[in-house]
Amino acid sequence: MPIKPSVKLVLIGLCLGLPASLWLAMSWGSSGWLWPHRLSPEDQQVIWALRLPRAVAAWVVGALLALAGVLMQVLLRNPLADPYILGLSGGASVFALLGFTLAGTLGLTWLPIPLWAFAGALITMVLVFVLAQGRGAWSTTRILLTGVVIAAGWGALISLILALGPDASLRSMLFWMMGDLSYAQLSPAWLGGVFLLMALVWLRARNLNVMAQGQLQAQLLGESIQARFWEVYVLASLLTGIAVSIAGAIGFVGLIVPHLMRLIVGADHRLLVPAATLFGGSFLVIADTIARTVLAPHQLPVGVLTALIGVPLFLLLLNQAIRIR
Amino acid sequence: MTALSSTPLLNVDALAVAIGDVCVVDGLSLAIRPHEFWGVLGQNGVGKTTLLKTLSGLHPPTEGRIELMGHNMASLDRKTIARHLGMLTQQTRYAFEATCHETVLIGRHPHIGPWGHEGANDHAMADQALHQMGLADCRDRSCMTLSGGESRRLALATLLVQDPQVMLLDEPTNHLDPANQVSVLNVVGQQIRQHAKGGLMALHEVNLATCYCSHCLLLFGNGQWLAGPTHEMLTTQHLSKLYDCHMRLVDDGEHQVFAVGA
């Protein structure tokens, strides 16, 4: 399909956004601009051992959430669906909070919180899968209802744990639930992993276009819908589970980024999948950089920043969408 | 798959279809051959849509066998079915913004390999289908902004782009004004005649069936059915029984139309 010049420009810009956002995150911090002006060994240490791994973690989480958001919106055929709608973040939160409160009692302090969270997301994925399958046929309504009800159940458990939990860990629990990259450190090799996942989804992009037409129409156009829908469900859940384990339940990225990119590059998933992944990553790196610098030495939860930047950006683009396309 | 012109495109043998407690047809046997355009008539809720879904392999029959171009449909995968059989569903709801051209182009999906993409020919087919459905001006408009009638024609254009040998149409004239009903069915009829396709449409307009259909299938409920050439099927006697009301034939010397008797 011939790509419009304006869309081409956007895609090139999004590709450049990856190094640009990482560069910004590495040079800007609570001590002001560091790079390339002053490079003492201590500064180098800060940049390469602290800021880069954190920026990589932010990029990976943002990209995964955006990609999972695209998949979840196709799966539920609803542009308002986000990666957390089926209770994955709730399950991850409950287990992470249990990790904060019970790890000491159970003698499980060696088990890092991300693994607790990932276990919670996986359990939720299997629970929704088993309960929603019913008599076997895929049903968007049934999976959505099952997921939303399970999410509500997790919500109640979260409140219970917060109410009964020790005051000392309350702050770190709240930070985790709002999404926090303070302790997230990933090696740049993870970027390659995300690109590999994105390529996998991209190979299925035309099938996603067909699935977005609805279950009946997709079958009539030759998709074996049962297998395809569960495939997308498992993939979207795993992507979300990984993202939540790394940085907690960062809101907004998975909902708004796919929407925003759809306004700019259109509904064709062959463009939407790479655009959303690239934008999601860079967006979260920038949001996290601002979150840790703007009120330094205080660090804001990045989830607050994603919403503060995302809301006006989204409203502006919604207004301009017709002119952009 | 190839088919000689004499072999039926779609062959149905001793088919029994049920949904819930409703028996749609029992022991249905019919063959749709090239150039034939079938009409399916029956009261609301008699199971016309269920029958169409069964014929497209989406609803399992309780008994009997369906053959698509000489092959048992139960043994064919969805992609193979989609290359030879397409169906216009009764309702179309678009969930995401996309231009009409992008939407119609999705009809090419079954014809393109897993790693392939649409070529110039596919784009030309999409534009032609939009033109045939009177939507050429809507090419770059979002499918979410279309009126009911326009989105009906967009769905039909997608079916034309899919280009199947067998076209199943579930109330294709829904939401369409009389002029558009005629122009849309003209296009479908022309496709069937010129390209040796077969068609089967569920509809409520008896007079459209007399104009366009070569054959008719009447569904009386409780599994009873009657099938044959249109002129034998569409009689006041059959139609009165079919709709459980008095139907009469009005003849002004030029045209004959069926009307509900007072």
Side-chain angles (χ1 to χ4, degrees):
Chain A
M1 175 161 184
I3 303 173
K4 281 183 194 170
S6 59
V7 172
K8 247 183 216 165
L9 266 180
V10 169
L11 285 175
I12 293 170
L14 288 172
C15 288
L16 295 176
L18 167 60
S21 64
L22 291 182
W23 176 77
L24 177 78
M26 284 161 73
S27 2
W28 195 21
S30 47
S31 48
W33 286 91
L34 268 188
W35 201 43
H37 313 294
R38 298 173 285 145
L39 268 185
S40 65
E42 296 79 37
D43 292 343
Q44 285 215 14
Q45 179 73 10
V46 167
I47 286 173
W48 296 109
L50 292 175
R51 288 190 189 164
L52 180 65
R54 177 167 173 165
V56 169
W59 200 90
V60 166
V61 168
L64 289 178
L65 285 177
L67 194 54
V70 170
L71 292 176
M72 212 55 108
Q73 288 176 1
V74 172
L75 190 71
L76 300 174
R77 222 178 155 230
N78 189 334
L80 291 179
D82 77 357
Y84 303 148
I85 198 161
L86 299 180
L88 290 164
S89 66
S93 298
V94 167
F95 274 68
L97 299 194
L98 286 177
F100 281 119
T101 48
L102 291 184
T105 334
L106 296 175
L108 291 172
T109 38
W110 50 270
L111 198 64
I113 295 297
L115 280 185
W116 285 86
F118 192 64
L122 277 188
I123 287 171
T124 310
M125 179 183 98
V126 174
L127 205 60
V128 173
F129 183 91
V130 171
L131 293 177
Q133 217 173 7
R135 279 172 297 166
W138 167 268
S139 154
T140 305
T141 319
R142 194 162 57 222
I143 195 159
L144 188 60
L145 279 176
T146 312
V148 167
V149 166
I150 285 180
W154 289 133
L157 283 178
I158 291 170
S159 307
L160 190 71
I161 298 172
L162 286 178
L164 298 179
D167 286 352
S169 50
L170 209 55
R171 196 180 168 80
S172 47
M173 286 190 201
L174 280 177
F175 252 68
W176 195 90
M177 280 168 44
M178 283 186 277
D180 183 21
L181 284 155
S182 312
Y183 302 103
Q185 306 269 310
L186 293 181
S187 90
W190 276 75
L191 295 179
V194 173
F195 277 108
L196 204 67
L197 282 169
M198 184 186 92
L200 268 179
V201 176
W202 189 80
L203 287 176
R204 284 264 185 256
R206 220 181 66 230
N207 304 79
L208 292 176
N209 287 346
V210 176
M211 285 165 70
Q213 301 296 306
Q215 197 178 345
L216 190 57
Q217 184 68 2
Q219 281 176 296
L220 289 167
L221 287 172
E223 286 294 307
S224 39
I225 210 73
Q226 199 71 11
R228 193 72 82 223
F229 268 92
W230 290 120
E231 187 181 299
V232 172
Y233 170 76
V234 170
L235 187 58
S237 305
L238 287 178
L239 297 179
T240 311
I242 297 170
V244 173
S245 312
I246 297 171
I250 296 174
F252 215 71
V253 180
L255 172 68
I256 289 308
V257 170
H259 227 4
L260 208 63
M261 287 299 112
R262 207 175 273 119
L263 288 175
I264 296 176
V265 303
D268 188 339
H269 287 82
R270 286 169 287 191
L271 299 175
L272 183 60
V273 163
T277 312
L278 289 166
F279 186 78
S282 304
F283 177 75
L284 197 59
V285 173
I286 293 168
D288 182 53
T289 308
I290 298 174
R292 66 181 162 76
T293 43
V294 75
L295 285 182
H298 290 289
Q299 298 216 353
L300 302 175
V302 67
V304 174
L305 253 291
T306 53
L308 284 181
I309 305 172
V311 169
L313 184 66
F314 179 72
L315 291 177
L316 185 76
L317 269 173
L318 192 63
N319 222 3
Q320 305 275 321
I322 298 148
R323 265 173 276 173
I324 291 169
R325 282 204 73 188
Chain B
M1 285 192 293
T2 52
L4 302 170
S5 61
S6 57
T7 54
L9 299 170
L10 193 70
N11 192 41
V12 172
D13 189 28
L15 195 75
V17 178
I19 182 162
D21 296 333
V22 178
C23 176
V24 179
V25 286
D26 195 14
L28 175 69
S29 295
L30 61 83
I32 301 177
R33 294 170 199 283
H35 307 290
E36 287 181 1
F37 195 178
W38 284 71
V40 182
L41 297 168
Q43 289 185 17
N44 292 134
V46 80
K48 298 185 289 294
T49 299
T50 307
L51 179 64
L52 260 62
K53 281 189 182 167
T54 310
L55 295 181
S56 61
L58 295 179
H59 179 85
T62 40
E63 275 172 47
R65 179 182 160 99
I66 305 166
E67 281 179 1
L68 177 62
M69 329 267 298
H71 294 71
N72 184 5
M73 190 179 264
S75 67
L76 298 176
D77 62 53
R78 284 291 346 152
K79 193 135 193 169
T80 313
I81 294 174
R83 282 192 205 118
H84 300 279
L85 178 144
M87 174 171 156
L88 174 79
T89 53
Q90 202 177 101
Q91 274 131 16
T92 322
R93 188 182 70 88
Y94 298 105
F96 299 103
E97 298 271 355
T99 66
C100 290
H101 181 82
E102 285 170 332
T103 308
V104 169
L105 204 58
I106 289 175
R108 294 308 295 160
H109 181 70
H111 300 281
I112 304 170
W115 318 127
H117 57 91
E118 300 89 352
N121 190 34
D122 301 311
H123 285 277
M125 278 182 90
D127 282 335
Q128 197 201 348
L130 285 174
H131 176 75
Q132 284 176 312
M133 285 294 135
L135 292 171
D137 292 341
C138 300
R139 186 185 190 277
D140 296 317
R141 232 173 91 185
S142 164
C143 61
M144 307 282 275
T145 64
L146 300 180
S147 73
E150 285 168 335
S151 87
R152 198 78 194 126
R153 284 182 280 148
L154 187 67
L156 252 167
T158 311
L159 181 67
L160 292 183
V161 167
Q162 189 182 347
D163 196 26
Q165 280 302 106
V166 180
M167 291 191 278
L168 306 178
L169 309 155
D170 198 353
E171 301 189 17
T173 52
N174 263 359
H175 304 294
L176 297 182
D177 61 53
N180 269 316
Q181 291 183 2
V182 170
S183 66
V184 155
L185 288 182
N186 279 340
V187 173
V188 176
Q190 190 189 23
Q191 288 273 321
I192 289 171
R193 282 193 309 276
Q194 290 182 352
H195 302 288
K197 296 181 180 222
L200 180 129
M201 66 170 162
L203 79 172
H204 288 294
E205 290 281 336
V206 179
N207 295 308
L208 286 177
T210 56
C211 291
Y212 289 97
C213 296
S214 58
H215 296 71
C216 280
L217 168 66
L218 309 182
L219 302 180
F220 294 98
N222 297 323
Q224 294 177 52
W225 55 273
L226 210 53
T230 300
H231 62 90
E232 289 175 20
M233 289 298 108
L234 299 188
T235 62
T236 49
Q237 196 191 353
H238 285 156
L239 290 172
S240 299
K241 183 185 171 199
L242 185 72
Y243 292 115
D244 199 18
C245 69
H246 176 57
M247 297 287 284
R248 60 198 186 96
L249 190 63
V250 183
D251 191 345
D252 69 351
E254 274 185 57
H255 297 288
Q256 292 186 325
V257 291
F258 288 99
V260 179

